[in-house]
Amino acid sequence: MSTNTREISATPTAVWKVLADGWLYPLWVVGASRMREVDDHWPVVGSRLYHSVGSWPLLVDDETEVLQCRPEELLQVQAKAWPGGEAGVTISLEPVGTDRTRVTIEEDATSGPGRLVPKPLRDLPLAWRNTETLRRLAFIAERRH
């Protein structure tokens, strides 16, 4: 499992507001190119985001489902991007002092062709991708509150 951590200059509440707004997903998740629909009850367990990945005209429509949710603490999802496969992603928020948040993303392929790639070769691109994902999340959370 690839793990990335970043301290963001925003409270867990501010960071959570970004995570809880499914329409913002393509702004901070690297690879997501557009949002097609968001369940009204996102991010409740079982709710879904309907997104596209890739670049036009080579877009793949798929979805991400919430597996576990603890507001302002944890969001665990199953992200689909077939034909590449599926990934389990856990985003954890930890307060640091009164106005910062340590955000950790853990991700790994859970099914499909991506699972066949040896773990060290999977982890490297995930680490690069999630470094940028956390940078984008920080830009939004730090500037919205």
Side-chain angles (χ1 to χ4, degrees):
M1 179 163 298
S2 174
T3 302
N4 291 69
T5 301
R6 180 184 177 118
E7 278 195 23
I8 294 178
S9 296
T11 65
T13 299
V15 175
W16 185 258
K17 285 180 180 179
V18 177
L19 299 179
D21 185 343
W23 290 102
L24 294 178
Y25 188 82
L27 292 179
W28 60 273
V29 175
V30 173
S33 54
R34 67 180 175 198
M35 187 58 53
R36 301 184 336 269
E37 186 177 347
V38 177
D39 284 351
D40 290 338
H41 53 288
W42 175 268
V44 172
V45 172
S47 62
R48 292 188 168 117
L49 297 174
Y50 302 88
H51 52 77
S52 302
V53 296
S55 296
W56 187 88
L58 303 174
L59 291 168
V60 175
D61 291 342
D62 230 319
E63 64 187 48
T64 293
E65 179 180 359
V66 176
L67 303 178
Q68 187 176 6
C69 175
R70 291 195 310 267
E72 300 184 22
E73 289 182 25
L74 180 119
L75 182 62
Q76 182 179 32
V77 300
Q78 186 73 15
K80 298 178 183 177
W82 284 94
E86 298 183 21
V89 182
T90 301
I91 302 171
S92 305
L93 309 180
E94 178 186 347
V96 178
T98 59
D99 62 349
R100 296 180 64 79
T101 305
R102 182 174 298 113
V103 182
T104 301
I105 297 181
E106 298 173 298
E107 180 175 2
D108 200 5
T110 56
S111 66
R115 188 80 177 139
L116 301 175
V117 176
K119 184 172 174 2
L121 297 178
R122 284 195 314 261
D123 283 352
L124 187 58
L126 287 174
W128 289 338
R129 175 179 173 268
N130 287 332
T131 295
E132 177 61 18
T133 291
L134 286 171
R135 180 179 297 125
R136 294 178 185 188
L137 178 62
F139 286 154
I140 298 168
E142 290 172 352
R143 287 157 178 82
R144 284 186 97 197
H145 75 281

